Amino acid sequence: MNNFSTTCAASALACSFTAITPAIAADFEVTGFVEPELQVFASHGNVPGQKRFNSSVALEVTAEAFWDNGDQFVVFTPFARLDQNDGNRTHADIRELKYAYVTGDWEFRVGVDKVFWGVTEVAHLIDIINQTDQVESIDGEEKLGQPMVSVSTVQDFGVFDFYLLPYFRERTFPSMSGRPASDIPIDETQTMYGSDDKRQHLDFATRYSNTFEDWDVGVSYFQGTGRDPVLTPGFDAGGNLVLIPLYAQIRQTSIDVQATKDAWLYKFEGFWRRELGEEYIQATGGIEYTFYQIFDTAYDLGIVAEYIWDDRGANAANAFANDTVAGLRWTANDEASTAVLLASVIDMDTQATSISLEAERRFGNDYFVALEARFFENIERTDPLFSFADDDFIQLRVARYF
Amino acid sequence: MTRFSIPDANPIVRLTVNLREENQPMRMNALNLHNLVLAWIIAAMLVILPVGISTAIAEELAGLGTLPGADDPVARGLAIAEETERRDVGFNNTSANMQMILTNAYGETSERELRNMVLEITEENLGDWSLIVFDKPRDVDGTALLSHARILDPDDQWMYLPAVKRVKRISSVNKSGPFMGSEFAFEDFSSQEVGKYSYNWLRDEECGERMCHVSERTPLYEHSGYTRQVAWTDTTDYQPRKIEYYDRKDQLLKTLTMTDYQLYEDKHWRAHDLFMENHQTGKNTRLVWSDFVFQAGLTESDFTTNALKRAR
């Protein structure tokens, strides 16, 4: 943790904050990173305005103050990106701005926070509290901050979480010049809601989770505005074809299970959802196995195999309806934390394939470099991923941490 | 002996006083005889009990004297390990900071900073609970590792990844891989329960200014990275001073030297400087402990997956 003088030198904000709260012996820390990014696309886009090269830079800062033996804390994490070509990708978000109070087995939080649910590696089906920040990455792992009031308690019979979610965040979408992006523009000015309360609809979620020896089990329920928009074709004011996002009211019950047996991980997660008068199930599961210290080196090699299923069959809303995932994860366990992840997702109906390669390592103590490549092969015109078919790209990110 | 003197309020003393006063005017009858015998028994107990207690304590303190002889090296090795463990019983919970300095074969260094919290678990067949929070390098700031240790089975371990706010149950069979790219494996600095090894005493010899018991210990945990270890344990405080690690091919892999021992709460020794040298790669890691706090007020609720998410 930073000592005070370093913090003071690093940030005038840190000094002023500490100065106005002298009565509270708070641990105060400011950390973050600035991360330039370069993207190179294999082909010219089929939409005017799309470029083969793109550059952007992201900045994330986290200011934390802990006091009362760490039983009370405030965390503030603003994030911003400036993008050369995509106006929508130039955006800012409050990832976190929360106050937390811990007393015994209870924890109370209020503010903007991030919550992750789930066990699988590729499709994150049951992770529903936060909206996806789609312009950041198409892997669905980047999330927008969600305003909430939450209570969590750890009891002998498990962990209970309760969430009240008073404000809805719309998914971010790339603009027409952004890549990878939908070929038909998404018209966010016509966004529709299933509820008259629109963004102000009060959503509710609860979760029970527990560990039984090798088994980690969770059961969750969500009621409110669905995070996945239903994209319906329509026309904008100029009569051009657009996709209009509809955020329906949903009720969803989900389970997630992981069994950890030596070097084997067995995973399953799935939900049963009621949306627009329809009921459907999505599930994913699989295995992860790691060969440790292969060939008497320090290297570990992990294999991931998962299957993703949607009981509606192939549909416009979900690219993963009958898909298999095969992945390899190589970790060098060296001082640079070098790691490479190769993953492929294959549609069993159409053989449409997406391949991703992520390689990362640290340089020195403060630089972290991530190289990412994504390829989309054999994608038919009817596939929901078709818009990405000409968007193969390689991306380099160099983060400087402070 | 003074600490065993019995205060006046003690019921046994009061009883003897009463007996003496009441017995004076009484004749020798059955009741009287009975009282007299009782008085003698109690008086004898008053003398014998403290002697017995102090003898027991003396035996415990002079642990050396109770070690099996050199003719039974297996029992002697086990007794040394048991004595080491017994000396640290009752630490309850601790927190401390850990700095790791990694040096590669070219002399280039990199640093890691972590915080470590430990909760003592006294149940048999269970190891201690620990929570390790990473501060540096900055890209892993906030990453945390929760371990509920077992003796011979794999531990229960969860990893918290702060960027995605995800708690992942992870496979813990790999305790022998490099920890954070260092020359330490997780099994090298996680809790050293007696039941994790079988023992064989080799010899006693000088180790620096002290005398040491030298024992070979063989990991019983099937996924251990070592065929055996040779440990030097000093004969006065029963703390490990040096450990040699032999890899799966029984080649000397690493040597750990533990120095800068400090005593906490008049009982618990902690080495503050742990230097691990890899003989096969020429790399080394110095692990420096600081800011040890005993009785840090930690409870089981500080070692849950919820606590993992807010560990700072």
Side-chain angles (χ1 to χ4, degrees), chain A residues 96 107 119 152 216 335, chain B residues 112 165-166 169 306 310:
Chain A
E96 287 175 74
E107 182 172 343
V119 291
S152 183
D216 287 54
E335 59 211 63
Chain B
R112 280 111 180 77
K165 306 284 165 198
R166 179 171 182 182
R169 173 78 175 263
N306 264 27
R310 59 174 185 257

Side-chain angles (χ1 to χ4, degrees), chain A residues 100-155:
Chain A
Y101 175 60
V102 182
T103 174
D105 300 326
W106 293 79
E107 182 172 343
F108 304 88
R109 293 178 187 232
V110 60
V112 177
D113 203 358
K114 281 207 283 185
V115 173
F116 181 88
W117 292 348
V119 291
T120 51
E121 293 303 301
V122 171
H124 303 299
L125 299 181
I126 71 156
D127 184 32
I128 196 169
I129 299 284
N130 291 79
Q131 180 59 272
T132 302
D133 194 353
Q134 187 86 22
V135 296
E136 276 300 305
S137 172
I138 57 167
D139 67 9
E141 290 183 0
E142 300 290 340
K143 297 290 179 181
L144 298 169
Q146 170 64 48
M148 68 177 77
V149 178
S150 70
V151 179
S152 183
T153 181
V154 183
Q155 300 296 334

Side-chain angles (χ1 to χ4, degrees), chain B residues 209-221:
Chain B
E209 294 165 2
R210 291 167 180 259
M211 279 298 290
C212 275
H213 299 299
V214 187
S215 296
E216 188 176 71
R217 53 188 203 188
T218 306
L220 300 176
Y221 178 63

Side-chain angles (χ1 to χ4, degrees), chain A residues 171 173 182 184-188 191-192 228-234 242-247 276 316-317 384:
Chain A
R171 183 165 297 187
F173 291 104
S182 166
I184 305 169
I186 287 154
D187 188 351
E188 291 169 87
T191 298
M192 295 184 296
D228 303 321
V230 179
L231 297 172
T232 29
V242 292
L243 292 173
I244 298 165
L246 163 65
Y247 294 99
L276 298 172

